[in-house]
Amino acid sequence: MTLEEAQKTVDNWIKTYGVRYFSELTNMAVLTEEVGELARVMSRKYGDQSFKPGEKDNLDDEMADVLWVLICLANQTGVNLTEAFQKNLEKKTSRDKERHKNNPKL
């Protein structure tokens, strides 16, 4: 699935099952919440914390939740994620093509 297809799929789902998008500000808060849930799993799986009884290693699901809300925000604000990602990749390549190679910390 391409980013464009993902944006269309989310939009169709919202219009079919979700009634309407939450407000942009609400979705920003939801995105923050989902990133926190992703951070919790990461800290337990790769960090020093351990899973509590009943918690699941659902890293894939938490990443998908973050992506879902990000796509909702893109749809609501008129951002074409395919174009935005391409421009961002070009920016990073132009800016950082030698930077990481020359970083003695890496």
Side-chain angles (χ1 to χ4, degrees), residues 1-94:
M1 179 181 292
T2 66
L3 289 171
E4 182 179 351
E5 290 168 338
Q7 284 191 252
K8 287 178 182 176
T9 299
V10 168
D11 192 58
N12 287 335
W13 190 96
I14 294 292
K15 290 174 180 173
T16 302
Y17 303 106
V19 180
R20 65 172 179 81
Y21 286 94
F22 296 141
S23 71
E24 294 86 349
L25 187 56
T26 296
N27 271 338
M28 186 63 229
V30 172
L31 178 62
T32 303
E33 178 185 355
E34 295 298 350
V35 169
E37 292 175 9
L38 173 60
R40 184 189 68 243
V41 174
M42 292 291 293
S43 70
R44 282 153 175 64
K45 185 169 184 168
Y46 299 104
D48 299 324
Q49 293 187 336
S50 59
F51 285 97
K52 296 175 185 172
E55 283 186 325
K56 296 180 282 185
D57 176 2
N58 58 344
L59 188 61
D60 55 346
D61 189 49
E62 296 301 348
M63 285 186 181
D65 284 344
V66 169
L67 182 59
W68 175 273
V69 181
L70 185 62
I71 290 171
C72 285
L73 282 167
N75 286 350
Q76 290 176 275
T77 57
V79 171
N80 179 315
L81 286 173
T82 300
E83 291 175 6
F85 187 76
Q86 184 62 43
K87 287 178 186 175
N88 190 269
L89 185 59
E90 290 167 6
K91 174 188 76 174
K92 284 175 174 40
T93 301
S94 173

